[in-house]
Amino acid sequence: MTIRESTELWEETYLSPYAALSKNSRGREADEPPCDIRPVYQRDRDRILHCKSFRRLKHKTQVFLTPKGDHYRTRLTHTLEVAQTARTIARALRLNEDLTEAAALGHDLGHTPFGHAGERALNEVSSEGFAHYEQSVRIVERLEKEGRGLNLTWEVRDGILNHQMSGKPSTLEGKVVRYSDKIAYIHHDVDDAIRGGIIREEEIPRTYTDILGHSSRERLNTMIHDIVANSQGKPDISMSEDVEFAFRGMRRYMFENVYTNPRAKGEEEKAETIVKELFRYYMDHPELLSNEYIERMWQSGETQERSVCDYISGMTDQYAIAKFQEFFIPASWRY
């Protein structure tokens, strides 16, 4: 018996009857020999962790554009916090931690430079539309590894695609990731907003904080414990009625007071302009795309719009700014 087979037997013996067992995966788009050490979801987790798109997340905006401080979250630290919260819940419920972590680590791979501002900009200028969760799946299926993709299992791709609250994940592990993403927002975005002087703790409505807690740490602890207590031994992942009410209320409060606050988001129009102008420029000059994207456009029948969206969405904040300067800002003359 291989180490992988021993691990699969352990899953079958120990995990919840509602967990997604590695040996029961619906598989990959392209068959490949199994690893003798790692079950399929652990392999997926490792592939995501080592891919280039994951590394670029460290230079992509979470909420605050170019914040002056080293402790504000980036898209990468957000992803890691989602993964940690999701694993904590999955372990407590005896779900498949590898599947949970793989979906969590991959859920934001398709995010644009400048966060949701960049996503809005691409969605507005492209006639084909743009959504980061769909782009995340596109990355792991078609863009990574010079167009070969990561060949992930169906369950991991399903969890990535459906991490929005409006999504409908097919596994409990995917549902854990969907909740964990929003829990992370409430936890770390409040923390960053307080650090940045956008809001104060005492300004958050007590209607919500009396239920969830009066600090970021307390709120994180409350939401995680509530999901575990409310989902134990059940074929679903959910919060209690009171905590769900406060959870959704906090999300509304954040949208009204942080995500649209001029102090936090005042530079977003500039960011959207950068993304839109880059899109138009590359549509006029497709030869300036990298060779990989040009070849895919001609060999695989990709539309030019989709290839341009692929290229721009993969940029980090600083690379997008550098390309904008290169194309639109006159270079300084030598003295």
Side-chain angles (χ1 to χ4, degrees):
M1 180 181 290
T2 65
I3 294 174
R4 171 184 54 79
E5 290 170 332
S6 296
T7 302
E8 290 173 347
L9 180 60
W10 178 89
E11 288 182 0
E12 190 173 12
T13 304
Y14 175 76
L15 293 185
S16 162
Y18 305 114
L21 301 183
S22 299
K23 71 171 190 174
N24 293 338
S25 170
R26 290 170 58 170
R28 309 179 187 281
E29 287 193 318
D31 290 335
E32 56 184 69
C35 177
D36 60 345
I37 295 176
R38 298 168 297 166
V40 289
Y41 302 137
Q42 185 182 347
R43 263 183 118 176
D44 286 359
R45 177 259 186 201
D46 295 348
R47 290 178 182 185
I48 292 169
L49 191 64
H50 290 293
C51 77
K52 291 188 292 186
S53 299
F54 184 80
R55 295 196 293 275
R56 289 198 297 269
L57 294 177
K58 67 180 178 180
H59 294 303
K60 293 192 177 189
T61 292
Q62 170 57 24
V63 172
F64 298 99
L65 291 169
T66 60
K68 293 181 179 178
D70 295 331
H71 299 124
Y72 292 94
R73 272 72 169 189
T74 65
R75 188 60 57 177
L76 177 61
T77 54
H78 160 72
T79 295
L80 295 175
E81 290 188 36
V82 172
Q84 179 57 51
T85 295
R87 283 199 69 134
T88 298
I89 295 171
R91 180 173 296 185
L93 295 176
R94 293 189 295 119
L95 299 177
N96 194 308
E97 291 182 52
D98 289 333
L99 169 55
T100 304
E101 185 174 23
L105 291 176
H107 83 281
D108 269 356
L109 291 179
H111 244 299
T112 58
F114 314 118
H116 289 288
E119 181 179 22
R120 284 195 304 272
L122 278 184
N123 188 51
E124 287 178 18
V125 293
S126 173
S127 65
E128 298 181 18
F130 184 90
H132 80 275
Y133 50 92
E134 294 174 349
Q135 188 69 14
S136 295
V137 175
R138 182 168 169 79
I139 283 173
V140 300
E141 287 184 344
R142 306 195 63 175
L143 301 183
E144 270 291 337
K145 298 182 72 173
E146 290 74 47
R148 299 189 302 276
L150 302 180
N151 197 29
L152 304 182
T153 56
W154 182 90
E155 291 79 8
V156 172
R157 288 180 283 131
D158 175 78
I160 291 172
L161 179 64
N162 289 287
H163 75 268
Q164 302 287 94
M165 283 306 288
S166 58
K168 299 184 184 301
S170 299
T171 65
L172 294 195
E173 289 81 0
K175 292 181 179 181
V176 167
V177 172
R178 183 181 59 178
Y179 263 115
S180 297
D181 183 36
K182 305 309 174 288
I183 289 172
Y185 276 126
I186 291 175
H187 173 246
H188 60 53
D189 289 353
V190 170
D191 187 46
D192 282 355
I194 291 173
R195 176 178 292 108
I198 306 301
I199 60 174
R200 293 181 298 151
E201 176 65 43
E202 52 269 28
E203 293 174 347
I204 303 173
R206 292 186 65 93
T207 307
Y208 310 137
T209 58
D210 284 347
I211 296 172
L212 298 180
H214 297 280
S215 69
S216 293
R217 182 187 63 81
E218 288 179 7
R219 287 187 284 271
L220 181 64
N221 188 64
T222 297
M223 289 183 285
I224 291 174
H225 276 77
D226 186 77
I227 285 180
V228 170
N230 214 55
S231 306
Q232 203 108 40
K234 297 177 182 177
D236 198 10
I237 304 298
S238 61
M239 289 178 166
S240 65
E241 187 175 337
D242 286 351
V243 171
E244 181 87 28
F245 161 78
F247 165 77
R248 293 184 180 275
M250 281 290 291
R251 289 188 70 222
R252 286 194 301 273
Y253 173 80
M254 290 298 290
F255 274 98
E256 293 168 1
N257 294 276
V258 176
Y259 301 142
T260 57
N261 186 295
R263 289 184 61 190
K265 312 300 277 184
E267 299 293 289
E268 280 198 349
E269 285 189 18
K270 298 177 185 177
E272 291 181 23
T273 296
I274 290 174
V275 171
K276 290 177 180 179
E277 291 304 320
L278 285 177
F279 177 87
R280 296 183 182 111
Y281 196 83
Y282 283 116
M283 287 298 295
D284 291 338
H285 303 278
E287 71 279 2
L288 296 179
L289 296 170
S290 71
N291 290 336
E292 175 188 339
Y293 291 84
I294 293 173
E295 290 173 7
R296 186 180 302 114
M297 186 164 54
W298 301 124
Q299 294 177 5
S300 303
E302 298 284 2
T303 66
Q304 184 177 332
E305 278 198 36
R306 185 50 52 198
S307 294
V308 170
C309 283
D310 288 342
Y311 189 55
I312 293 175
S313 66
M315 294 179 176
T316 62
D317 294 9
Q318 292 306 312
Y319 188 74
I321 291 171
K323 298 309 287 186
F324 182 86
Q325 290 175 332
E326 177 185 339
F327 296 149
F328 299 106
I329 307 299
S332 299
W333 286 81
R334 293 184 178 180
Y335 289 107

